Amino acid sequence: MKSFAVADDQFPKSNDKKVVDCSKSNAFPLFNTIFFAFFFSVISYLFVTFRQKIHTATPLYLTLSEMAAVVCFVASFVYFLGFFGMNFLQSMPFPDEEEDDELEETNAKEIIHSTNSAGCVTKISDQDFLTPLPKSTTAVECLTATTEDEEVIQAVVTGKTPSYSLESKLGDCKRAAFIRRQALERITGRSLEGLPLDGFNYESILGQCCEMPVGYIQIPVGIAGPLLLDGMEFSVPMATTEGCLVASTNRGCKAINASGGATSILLKDGMTRAPVVRFATAKRAAELKFFLEEPLNFQTLASVFNKSSRFGRLQTIQCAMAGKNLYMRFTCSTGDAMGMNMVSKGVQNVLDYLQADFPDMDIIGISGNYCSDKKPAAVNWIEGRGKSVVCEAIIKEEVVKKVLKTDVASLVELNMLKNLTGSAMAGALGGFNAHASNIVSAVYLATGQDPAQNVESSHCITMMEAVNGGKDLHVSVTMPSIEVGTVGGGTQLASQSACLNLLGVKGANKVSPGSNARQLAKVVAGSVLAGELSLMSAIAAGQLVKSHMKYNRSNK
């Protein structure tokens, strides 16, 4: 419940005004108790009397005692109506005209007003009387915005202090977020009620995750599994606000486990960055292309590239031309990091090196979208980006029937007509699946990955085939561009780090650099396999709408 508090000298003065404290009113003193007993006794007497007259067919004339009882009933009723009615009216925040006039005449410079969801108290000018106080402001609360804070807030509101500089000027990240929040509410006139402020370590995001914070978002995390993958069990954390998603993935994990588990294979591991450069002629651009593709030059370029990091190792350079413009797609290993910054630094080293031999090279941009990052692109679907993983399982016939509530033939037919033919009819690019993006996004949010990279990381083709004489189901997912890391970015935040720890892939692997990130990519693929298996079964069995009505709709 929100509240506000003010000092006595901050209230506008009024002549002989009395403030009624309804919270001290006692609705049941001894006198009222006696009246209650008398009131109900009179009602009981009248009820019994008239009931007997009706049963004995006696005329309903009032005797003296009955008339006295009626008078007492009316008097008691009037008393209680007045008592409770006055208390109710006193508790209502009706403005008094004289007080309103006096407020306008005094033109109070500042009052104290509760303005944020955490119950923090701030000061606002007399112009903000136009905004009514919340009806729930009844409790007394201590002042949390100090005079010093108020000065900073006003400086931000007036533009004297840039909002982005608060952390460096104050040296306190949480206080900076609080002040920024207060200034934002005053500038916009909009409340941020419901957006939490407390309970978050703002120092942990400074300079690496989010700028100018004013709070944080709450996303529930569910657990699917255990998922039996490559002989190991994983409890998969999924951060989502979509009902039925975790339950569905969990059912897929159950089917996989009951059939002996899933197997994963890592095909490639390399992050990419593709700068674009321009020359005066296409011939000159082609000369650089041939230079980069010459095997004898690769070792020199690799040594230049690898100086940027202990873990970044150049693997390939793939070139494409558009007229006199050259796009160079560098691919390198990145250890346990997702690696975008790592590969970018290496590319910059190579560009600086090439500038000496190609001084007429005009560097247009460190990224020319031939990478391609955070966009659906055929180059990622064909060549791969990040981790390329295939995950497969053979689901037994009895498991398909008992756990998935369908049959092998129906799943194979549905996969052919929906995931393959239907996606082809739609002109899908890497979207030959039921809902891979659902699982990828949920696991990415839980483990601190870049959620925007869900775009290419969700490239997936789901295959289903009847095996063992048509009895069992072979199901696989092929995902060529899973972009994950276990160090850097959001992975170091407390909650995301805890989810990585649950999977056993937290931080960098000191024994085998890169193995934690590769294992996480396999878990993502295995989870997608479980999600695909369950959703396809629900559709084949005609249970999709029913399950969403049960798990994805509030019954409150």
Side-chain angles (χ1 to χ4, degrees):
M1 184 183 298
K2 291 183 176 179
S3 60
F4 68 99
V6 295
D8 292 340
D9 58 352
Q10 288 174 312
F11 271 113
K13 303 301 181 181
S14 60
N15 297 324
D16 299 327
K17 299 290 181 183
K18 292 184 179 180
V19 178
V20 179
D21 188 356
C22 297
S23 63
K24 295 181 180 180
S25 299
N26 186 353
F28 295 100
L30 179 61
F31 188 67
N32 291 345
T33 304
I34 295 174
F35 255 82
F36 259 110
F38 182 68
F39 177 74
F40 286 109
S41 297
V42 170
I43 293 177
S44 177
Y45 170 75
L46 292 175
F47 176 77
V48 172
T49 300
F50 282 103
R51 187 169 180 271
Q52 289 177 350
K53 287 184 177 183
I54 293 171
H55 283 180
T56 59
T58 304
L60 299 178
Y61 296 118
L62 295 178
T63 63
L64 291 176
S65 59
E66 292 169 350
M67 291 179 64
V70 170
V71 172
C72 293
F73 167 76
V74 173
S76 301
F77 181 78
V78 171
Y79 170 78
F80 286 118
L81 180 63
F83 178 81
F84 289 108
M86 288 302 296
N87 273 278
F88 175 75
L89 291 174
Q90 290 170 353
S91 65
M92 295 293 289
F94 291 118
D96 185 271
E97 292 183 0
E98 293 182 6
E99 292 182 1
D100 288 345
D101 294 339
E102 190 166 350
L103 285 174
E104 293 177 1
E105 293 173 0
T106 54
N107 192 20
K109 295 301 180 183
E110 54 185 279
I111 63 169
I112 296 176
H113 190 325
S114 173
T115 56
N116 66 66
S117 61
C120 298
V121 184
T122 60
K123 297 181 180 181
I124 61 175
S125 68
D126 55 311
Q127 296 177 349
D128 287 323
F129 274 109
L130 296 175
T131 303
L133 291 175
K135 294 183 179 180
S136 59
T137 56
T138 56
V140 176
E141 188 177 86
C142 295
L143 184 67
T144 56
T146 63
T147 303
E148 185 178 358
D149 287 341
E150 182 62 27
E151 293 176 356
V152 181
I153 293 171
Q154 291 298 329
V156 175
V157 170
T158 58
K160 294 180 180 179
T161 299
S163 178
Y164 61 81
S165 67
L166 288 173
E167 281 79 6
S168 60
K169 289 182 178 296
L170 299 176
D172 185 336
C173 292
K174 182 178 180 181
R175 184 184 172 211
F178 165 72
I179 289 175
R180 182 180 294 112
R181 182 190 185 107
Q182 296 300 309
L184 180 64
E185 288 186 329
R186 298 188 192 185
I187 293 171
T188 63
R190 304 285 184 179
S191 172
L192 287 176
E193 180 179 358
L195 182 67
L197 178 68
D198 292 330
F200 188 82
N201 181 10
Y202 292 93
E203 280 75 14
S204 66
I205 65 173
L206 182 63
Q208 57 184 338
C209 288
C210 179
E211 297 76 41
M212 296 187 287
V214 294
Y216 60 96
I217 295 293
Q218 297 168 311
I219 303 178
V221 177
I223 298 296
L227 168 67
L228 184 58
L229 178 65
D230 300 325
M232 298 182 291
E233 289 189 346
F234 296 92
S235 295
V236 184
M238 301 175 67
T240 181
T241 56
E242 179 183 352
C244 211
L245 179 59
V246 178
S248 178
T249 307
N250 189 67
R251 183 175 75 146
C253 291
K254 180 180 179 181
I256 292 173
N257 290 7
S259 300
T263 303
S264 64
I265 307 97
L266 185 80
L267 303 177
K268 294 181 181 179
D269 181 8
M271 182 50 65
T272 64
R273 175 60 84 197
V276 54
V277 299
R278 182 172 57 194
F279 289 87
T281 64
K283 180 181 178 180
R284 186 62 172 155
E287 290 177 4
L288 177 56
K289 179 180 184 296
F290 297 145
F291 177 86
L292 293 173
E293 293 176 346
E294 172 58 50
L296 296 177
N297 296 328
F298 180 79
Q299 196 58 45
T300 301
L301 296 174
S303 63
V304 173
F305 183 100
N306 296 344
K307 291 179 181 179
S308 63
S309 170
R310 291 183 298 158
F311 303 104
R313 294 294 178 267
L314 184 63
Q315 297 174 348
T316 62
I317 304 175
Q318 182 180 1
C319 297
M321 283 183 58
K324 58 183 181 178
N325 304 298
L326 179 66
Y327 297 82
M328 301 169 283
R329 193 172 193 257
F330 291 77
T331 303
C332 81
S333 60
T334 57
D336 284 306
M338 184 270 289
M340 285 298 300
N341 293 333
M342 192 181 300
V343 66
S344 295
K345 289 190 294 183
V347 168
Q348 188 62 57
N349 288 347
V350 173
L351 291 176
D352 293 341
Y353 172 81
L354 292 174
Q355 197 83 65
D357 291 330
F358 296 86
D360 54 336
M361 179 179 69
D362 183 13
I363 301 175
I364 303 301
I366 189 69
S367 174
N369 275 10
Y370 187 51
C371 313
S372 174
D373 186 41
K374 301 172 184 175
K375 291 165 284 291
V379 68
N380 293 335
W381 176 243
I382 298 170
E383 298 293 337
R385 189 171 195 256
K387 277 72 174 170
S388 300
V389 182
V390 177
C391 189
E392 64 179 346
I394 296 178
I395 310 301
K396 298 177 181 178
E397 180 183 27
E398 58 268 26
V399 175
V400 173
K401 292 180 178 180
K402 293 181 180 180
V403 178
L404 301 177
K405 310 300 182 183
T406 185
D407 58 83
V408 174
S410 297
L411 282 173
V412 172
E413 181 182 34
L414 177 64
N415 188 72
M416 176 62 70
L417 295 178
K418 170 182 166 61
N419 289 341
L420 304 183
T421 308
S423 295
M425 293 293 291
L429 179 59
F432 297 89
N433 57 81
H435 71 149
S437 178
N438 249 340
I439 291 84
V440 172
S441 296
V443 177
Y444 271 28
L445 289 172
T447 58
Q449 310 305 312
D450 187 337
Q453 289 185 323
N454 164 70
V455 175
E456 63 268 38
S457 295
S458 296
H459 281 179
C460 171
I461 182 169
T462 300
M463 304 291 290
M464 293 186 180
E465 180 183 350
V467 294
N468 299 330
K471 294 174 56 180
D472 301 332
L473 175 73
H474 180 276
V475 56
S476 68
V477 292
T478 302
M479 306 180 68
S481 51
I482 301 177
E483 299 162 349
V484 293
T486 59
V487 296
T491 64
Q492 50 81 39
L493 298 178
S495 53
Q496 287 84 341
S497 179
C499 291
L500 288 171
N501 187 59
L502 177 66
L503 293 171
V505 295
K506 176 182 176 181
N509 192 307
K510 297 180 180 179
V511 178
S512 178
S515 60
N516 280 359
R518 290 191 289 268
Q519 183 62 68
L520 178 58
K522 291 181 178 181
V523 170
V524 171
S527 302
V528 169
L529 181 70
E532 291 288 281
L533 190 59
S534 183
L535 177 60
M536 291 293 287
S537 299
I539 296 175
Q543 297 175 338
L544 179 64
V545 175
K546 180 180 178 181
S547 62
H548 272 272
M549 290 302 100
K550 180 178 179 180
Y551 294 104
N552 203 24
R553 291 292 183 271
S554 174
N555 293 321
K556 291 182 181 180

